[in-house]
Amino acid sequence: MVETLQNLYLGFSIALSPSVLIYAFAGCIIGTLVGILPGVGPLAGISLLLPASFGLNATTAMVLLAGIYYGAMYGGSTTSILMRIPGEAASVMTCIDGYAMTRKGRAGPALAIAAIGSYFAGTVSVVGLMLLAPPLASFALRFGPPEYVALLLLGLLALAYMSGGSVPKALAMAALGLLLGMIGIDPMTGYFRFHYGLVELGDGIGVVPVAVGLFGLSEILLTAGQSTPPAVMKPRLRELLPSRQEWRDSVWSIGRGTVLGFLIGIIPGSAHIISSFVSYAVERRLSRHPERFGHGAVEGVAGPESANNSATSGAFVPMLALGVPSGPIPAVMLAAMMVHGISPGPLLIMQQPDLFWGFIASMYVGNVVLLILNLPLVGIFVNLLRIPYPFLYPAILVFSVVGVYAVNGSVVDVWIMAVMGVLGYLLRKFEFETAPIVLGLVLAPMLEMSLRQSLALSSGSYAVFVTRPIAATMLGLGLAILLLSLRPVFTRGLDWRRRLGLESKPSLGEEGKP
Amino acid sequence: MRIRLLATLLLLYLALVPGASAQEPFPTRPISLVAPFPPGGVADLMARPVAAAMEKVLKSPAVVVNKTGAAGAVGMSFVANSKPDGYTLLMALSSISIIPEADKLFDRKPAYTMDQLTPVALISADPTILVVRADRPWKSVKEFVEDAKKRPGEISYSSSGVYGTLHMAMEMLSHAAGIKLKHVPYGGAGPALTAILGGHVDTLASGPAVILPHIKAGKLRPLAGWGSKRVAALPDLPTFKELGYDIEFYIWAGVFAPTGTPDPILKKLRDTVRQAVQEPDFKSAMTKLETPVAYLDAPEFQKFWDKDAKMLADAIKRVGRIEEKK
Amino acid sequence: MLTRDRVAGVVILLFSLAVMWETRVLPLGNFHNPGPGYMPMLLAIVLGAMAILVALGGGGSLPLRSLAWPEKRHALAILAGCAFTALAMERIGYRLTVILLLGFILWVVERKRPVVVVATALGLSLGTFYLFSTLLRVPLPVGPGRF
């Protein structure tokens, strides 16, 4: 413990030295700006700006990149809340209730809660990272394909609580999303599925163009032509801050989101994306008024935003402790280290204490900087809503196109966005929810691959899922949740029969009890 | 009608803009070096110092453009099909020879053919090395092969993906040693490394740079290398050739231009890269990446490439379609 | 009667059948060794089954005719703009494409005054190009005349 404090002191002496601090600031500002751009999330932002860090020394480069990454995380929620455009898969859930709050004139509180939730989650997960990295990292590595299958099936269960609409509709949308995830070269056999002559589909359909199309573009298509355009909002200062009720509603959501996100985040791979979906489902399940979700429930912003922030910090655990490229963002960070001649590996903490502790300390600093930066920015961003819609939507359209294009430099992604815009528009007309499509798309490649890897490892035996303790525990948990969620179906079934008087005796007996 | 006016303006603009003149000194505008993988990937990390050094030599900008997708096929076919004027170059990896073969195997319309690209220079060639988890019993290739013969299809290895470079290296070894291993493909070299560190598979073929820290930390044990010479960082590690297996495999990176690029421009590009690899900045960048420079000029590179491509083509044919073999 | 859910269910069912048909070329594999066609086929079956449930349970939903499309004209125009952007961007360059896109939407669709249109189109086009291509160094396509 004392040692940790000493190391932390070392870290802070590095992170707070002016030459490093200035890069932390620069990173946060650039990251915030990049994150605000629709369609550009943390991963895209950090990849785009990676080359700019090559000219710096290793510590400042890492601090700059961490700043960009955190900044993009904070900034990413802005467009989701104000314009319903997710910068990445993790902000999809924020779009739903965040944008609903905006339409009700509560954009300011939504942004403020998102920033505060991100701050809390970011800070707490760095504490977790600092104290628990080595033991957690070795545990996380035990997550092999069978455990992944179990985890992803748990993620799929989030569907049950994700929407308030009809169950067959939600399942149909999830199946559609999973099917979209089947497009591309099958990594297990090399077959190119559903390519229709387009090489660009080889790696599958990107989540960002789909999310931007289904959420952002469909919103424009639905709104732009309405006879009464959406009212221009003139926010007052009093309305920028969350009300006492909103505080009370979101405190526990932030806490739960943080823990949940961190736990999912430390698992190597891309599972951290599902943390915000799972968090949303958990909040909705625990809420006393689940019907408010989808219509501007503040918990639906607080939980997922905190979860996705702490998840991606959680992803640094295996990276820093073991030098494992544990996900897309850590992989980019590792590449940055290699460019500076540092071999990331299990010995990093010992060989490069300056870098490791400087990096940790800069994450604390970065979070504080961002909170200070973002709270006043809420007031400025909210003023974007003063722009009349006929000018706002063409601008949103342009930013979406360029954001979607920039990630891969591919026009095919722009086409995908347009097609998904039409699909989202039609589905919303027919009262289907589109979030399950994104969840399905995110889960499909991971789920299929880990299922088939498990079977390859076990030579075709499904016993691996019950003989490995972590996988078996998670599957058992999933089964329990499933049964719990089915209970209302049965009880409601009984009510229905009772109403028709089909089951006369037992129900009569029950009625007699109270 | 407003829309007609807009269209007229567009046509007017296009008619007035002059086309590029035929004879102009090269280069007059920025050269783009396409990396077919995302920032931070091997191709990208190689491309950036090369572009920076070329920029110095040419005294004209050279930028790295990431065109990603389909395991590199998108970027490669983009360059293969772009105008052969020397302004669009490709930083390709060994997989450039794999994709057309895989397309052939599945009777697909090829994304590009290898004769659409002309080699300019080889930049680096790293042999893959065979590592096993430190807690597994095998101390040498001999023990490993003997055990694998006793239990065919039970020792597992991870790879960056089916028909990927890491898969091909292992396939060459299994073929030469007459063993059968259990292949578990992952989505990229990073996840494949994570899998062996987590103990989900027994062994892995990988480039030396990413694996060295884990060897030093005692988590993984190297058994042999695929190079013709020993790896500088691991002088005690034998090569497969020394052990009597006639296999050689490198993860290499080289610069290509679209076929049809005029000879004077091609010559200028070759000279540029030759000078670029001598730049001290370039050398120090490569040292940091722990990747030795293995420069070859176009003619030798072409020979090297032909041999490598043939080897890979044979390996892919041997593997065949995975689904139909079982 | 044609209700919204029935129509949607039938359309999705047809789509799932099309997917099954497309999946026929992929080897299915088996339960213990699923091939590349296994998951797509399974998912298409699930999708089809759900579509049938939606259609069967959709008798009580609102009739199709009650669905109004007041925003049809705008939506089509915006989609046309997207298609134009995707087609034109790598041919005539990013800046010109965006100027034309905004010119079309603001001038033809929204009927704004020419001065406002030109100012917005130029500002947004050059501004975003500067932001991405110059500041963030993301290469955006340039067209003839290096514009």
Side-chain angles (χ1 to χ4, degrees):
Chain A
M1 195 64 210
V2 178
E3 201 186 344
T4 309
L5 283 177
Q6 274 170 353
N7 284 325
L8 200 60
Y9 176 73
L10 167 75
F12 272 109
S13 66
I14 295 165
L16 292 175
S17 66
S19 60
V20 175
L21 196 59
I22 189 102
Y23 280 102
F25 257 105
C28 290
I29 292 170
I30 298 172
T32 309
L33 289 176
V34 170
I36 290 165
L37 300 174
V40 184
L43 179 61
I46 208 168
S47 307
L48 296 177
L49 293 161
L50 173 66
S53 74
F54 289 171
L56 308 169
N57 75 41
T59 308
T60 41
M62 292 302 284
V63 167
L64 178 75
L65 287 176
I68 293 172
Y69 155 63
Y70 269 114
M73 281 315 266
Y74 276 70
S77 56
T78 309
T79 46
S80 310
I81 291 172
L82 292 181
M83 295 156 194
R84 210 172 189 266
I85 297 183
E88 46 149 2
S91 345
V92 161
M93 296 323 287
T94 314
C95 283
I96 297 176
D97 282 281
Y99 187 70
M101 282 178 77
T102 296
R103 291 267 64 105
K104 282 171 151 181
R106 303 297 293 163
L111 288 170
I113 288 284
I116 291 161
S118 296
Y119 168 76
F120 182 80
T123 307
V124 170
S125 59
V126 176
V127 176
L129 175 59
M130 186 176 77
L131 297 177
L132 304 171
L136 271 185
S138 353
F139 174 77
L141 272 192
R142 285 168 59 193
F143 256 76
E147 286 76 23
Y148 233 79
V149 173
L151 176 74
L152 296 174
L153 287 177
L154 268 181
L156 209 51
L157 274 182
L159 267 176
Y161 302 111
M162 221 154 85
S163 66
S166 102
V167 175
K169 276 184 170 179
L171 286 177
M173 289 302 100
L176 184 62
L178 287 160
L179 265 177
L180 285 175
M182 295 289 114
I183 294 170
I185 295 170
D186 171 24
M188 300 295 285
T189 60
Y191 276 86
F192 199 159
R193 297 183 289 203
F194 313 113
H195 58 87
Y196 305 107
L198 287 172
V199 197
E200 283 82 354
L201 295 180
D203 283 346
I205 291 191
V207 178
V208 170
V210 172
V212 173
L214 282 179
F215 283 80
L217 188 55
S218 76
E219 179 66 25
I220 292 178
L221 293 176
L222 279 173
T223 325
Q226 276 169 8
S227 42
T228 46
V232 170
M233 312 239 184
K234 298 216 174 73
R236 277 179 298 264
L237 190 64
R238 192 163 42 84
E239 289 169 2
L240 289 181
L241 294 174
S243 68
R244 194 171 296 170
Q245 182 62 37
E246 280 165 336
W247 277 117
R248 213 176 298 142
D249 286 342
S250 44
V251 165
W252 287 107
S253 307
I254 290 175
R256 280 188 293 263
T258 303
V259 175
L260 189 76
F262 189 72
L263 291 179
I264 296 180
I266 56 173
I267 297 161
S270 298
H272 63 268
I273 302 179
I274 67 171
S275 65
S276 60
F277 293 93
V278 175
S279 165
Y280 187 88
V282 167
E283 292 311 321
R284 195 168 184 279
R285 176 73 183 88
L286 293 179
S287 171
R288 249 177 257 136
H289 304 281
E291 70 283 352
R292 281 172 46 240
F293 279 71
H295 304 284
V298 72
E299 302 97 299
V301 176
E305 272 302 311
S306 314
N308 79 40
N309 252 44
S310 70
T312 357
S313 323
F316 286 126
V317 169
M319 170 192 127
L320 287 170
L322 301 172
V324 173
S326 48
I329 288 174
V332 175
M333 301 286 254
L334 286 185
M337 284 196 215
M338 288 178 70
V339 167
H340 290 102
I342 294 166
S343 333
L347 305 178
L348 180 86
I349 303 181
M350 274 177 279
Q351 285 172 349
Q352 305 277 348
D354 288 13
L355 180 89
F356 180 81
W357 292 102
F359 181 64
I360 297 265
S362 82
M363 286 166 120
Y364 286 111
V365 176
N367 270 301
V368 176
V369 169
L370 279 164
L371 191 68
I372 297 170
L373 198 70
N374 268 276
L375 284 181
L377 279 179
V378 168
I380 299 173
F381 289 146
V382 166
N383 282 305
L384 285 175
L385 298 172
R386 286 173 190 260
I387 303 173
Y389 206 67
F391 286 99
L392 189 60
Y393 84 79
I396 296 177
L397 194 63
V398 168
F399 274 108
S400 304
V401 166
V402 68
V404 163
Y405 178 85
V407 178
N408 282 327
S410 159
V411 175
V412 174
D413 283 346
V414 180
W415 280 114
I416 293 174
M417 181 191 85
V419 171
M420 288 299 142
V422 179
L423 183 68
Y425 169 72
L426 291 176
L427 287 174
R428 285 171 71 187
K429 274 277 182 189
F430 281 90
E431 286 158 350
F432 283 83
E433 301 199 31
T434 48
I437 301 184
V438 182
L439 178 64
L441 178 64
V442 167
L443 286 177
M446 294 195 271
L447 182 60
E448 187 194 23
M449 184 140 190
S450 40
L451 175 67
R452 286 162 73 189
Q453 279 168 342
S454 310
L455 292 174
L457 281 168
S458 71
S459 306
S461 158
Y462 280 79
V464 273
F465 298 113
V466 285
T467 51
R468 297 179 51 132
I470 307 177
T473 314
M474 280 197 295
L475 284 176
L477 191 67
L479 201 65
I481 296 176
L482 188 66
L483 289 178
L484 269 177
S485 75
L486 284 179
R487 204 184 47 183
V489 178
F490 294 126
T491 43
R492 213 175 293 152
L494 284 178
D495 288 343
W496 168 75
R497 283 183 205 154
R498 200 178 297 159
R499 226 174 293 136
L500 288 182
L502 287 175
E503 282 187 20
S504 43
K505 271 184 186 166
S507 48
L508 272 178
E510 264 173 33
E511 269 169 16
K513 261 178 206 163
Chain B
M1 186 67 190
R2 290 180 173 207
I3 195 158
R4 203 171 294 159
L5 188 56
L6 269 179
T8 323
L9 281 174
L10 170 66
L11 288 177
L12 206 64
Y13 168 81
L14 291 177
L16 286 176
V17 166
S21 61
Q23 285 295 323
E24 56 181 26
F26 178 84
T28 53
R29 53 187 169 94
I31 291 177
S32 44
L33 183 57
V34 174
F37 296 95
V42 180
D44 180 72
L45 292 182
M46 294 284 134
R48 294 197 186 266
V50 171
M54 284 176 77
E55 198 167 297
K56 252 194 192 155
V57 176
L58 284 171
K59 300 194 175 54
S60 158
V63 292
V64 176
V65 179
N66 299 94
K67 281 251 177 222
T68 57
V74 171
M76 294 186 207
S77 74
F78 172 79
V79 177
N81 294 310
S82 65
K83 210 164 133 203
D85 53 8
Y87 288 104
T88 314
L89 302 176
L90 173 71
M91 174 57 81
L93 307 181
S94 329
S95 53
I96 189 172
S97 333
I98 295 178
I99 291 166
E101 282 303 320
D103 280 342
K104 224 184 276 172
L105 184 66
F106 289 101
D107 306 317
R108 286 196 290 257
K109 188 170 122 317
Y112 63 94
T113 54
M114 279 183 264
D115 55 16
Q116 279 181 291
L117 290 159
T118 305
V120 175
L122 179 70
I123 303 294
S124 72
D126 253 1
T128 47
I129 53 180
L130 178 69
V131 291
V132 298
R133 270 181 66 83
D135 58 4
R136 301 296 195 264
W138 318 294
K139 299 272 190 285
S140 67
V141 174
K142 190 163 160 273
E143 288 174 30
F144 176 75
V145 170
E146 272 171 11
D147 196 24
K149 278 188 176 153
K150 257 181 254 157
R151 319 183 279 145
E154 282 184 38
I155 298 175
S156 58
Y157 70 98
S158 54
S159 81
S160 54
V162 74
Y163 309 117
T165 43
L166 306 186
H167 177 202
M168 289 296 108
M170 275 308 214
E171 161 57 30
M172 284 175 195
L173 172 63
S174 331
H175 182 71
I179 52 176
K180 199 171 172 304
L181 301 171
K182 185 191 283 179
H183 178 207
V184 187
Y186 281 76
L193 174 62
T194 312
I196 187 172
L197 289 173
H200 307 292
V201 295
D202 306 311
T203 161
L204 168 73
S206 164
V210 287
I211 213 107
L212 272 175
H214 301 284
I215 293 174
K216 281 186 200 144
K219 307 263 177 198
L220 301 175
R221 183 187 312 123
L223 294 184
W226 265 264
S228 62
K229 288 193 296 260
R230 293 188 174 197
V231 179
L234 297 164
D236 298 332
L237 186 69
T239 66
F240 279 112
K241 288 219 153 162
E242 290 170 28
L243 298 172
Y245 299 98
D246 186 23
I247 47 174
E248 219 179 307
F249 186 77
Y250 300 91
I251 298 179
W252 52 262
V255 179
F256 289 80
T259 302
T261 308
D263 282 337
I265 291 180
L266 211 54
K267 179 154 187 320
K268 173 107 193 199
L269 287 171
R270 278 165 57 188
D271 291 343
T272 309
V273 179
R274 185 182 311 129
Q275 289 170 40
V277 294
Q278 300 299 330
E279 286 281 329
D281 283 359
F282 175 77
K283 282 186 175 164
S284 79
M286 296 295 274
T287 315
K288 281 181 179 168
L289 291 171
E290 296 197 48
T291 310
V293 180
Y295 171 78
L296 285 181
D297 194 17
E300 295 88 53
F301 180 24
Q302 177 80 56
K303 260 179 243 154
F304 173 88
W305 186 31
D306 288 345
K307 191 175 155 221
D308 191 67
K310 168 131 197 347
M311 229 158 51
L312 285 169
D314 290 346
I316 289 172
K317 280 187 199 117
R318 272 202 308 273
V319 176
R321 292 199 198 183
I322 306 274
E323 238 14 79
E324 283 161 21
K325 254 177 33 181
K326 278 178 185 165
Chain C
M1 196 177 72
L2 278 179
T3 67
R4 293 181 191 185
D5 282 6
R6 279 184 181 163
V7 172
V10 168
V11 171
I12 296 175
L13 179 64
L14 290 177
F15 174 77
S16 76
L17 292 175
V19 174
M20 287 178 210
W21 175 249
E22 290 287 321
T23 309
R24 78 198 181 280
V25 292
L26 300 169
L28 270 181
N30 56 50
F31 182 63
H32 292 288
N33 181 22
Y38 195 82
M39 281 280 273
M41 186 58 92
L42 191 71
L43 289 169
I45 292 171
V46 172
L47 181 63
M50 289 305 134
I52 292 173
L53 282 185
V54 171
L56 287 183
S61 82
L62 293 167
L64 184 69
R65 244 175 293 140
S66 69
L67 208 56
W69 306 81
E71 69 285 333
K72 185 175 61 185
R73 209 182 69 88
H74 270 75
L76 285 176
I78 293 167
L79 283 173
C82 285
F84 165 77
T85 311
L87 285 173
M89 196 148 72
E90 289 193 338
R91 293 190 170 81
I92 61 169
Y94 170 78
R95 279 169 285 193
L96 192 56
T97 308
V98 170
I99 290 174
L100 289 169
L101 171 72
L102 289 173
F104 171 68
I105 290 183
L106 289 176
W107 196 29
V108 182
V109 180
E110 296 291 341
R111 306 250 148 206
K112 297 290 169 196
R113 295 210 323 275
V115 187
V116 182
V117 172
V118 170
T120 318
L122 279 179
L124 258 177
S125 160
L126 302 182
T128 50
F129 188 85
Y130 179 76
L131 179 64
F132 276 84
S133 210
T134 314
L135 287 183
L136 299 180
R137 294 184 137 253
V138 182
L140 292 173
V142 282
R146 318 291 320 140
F147 184 65

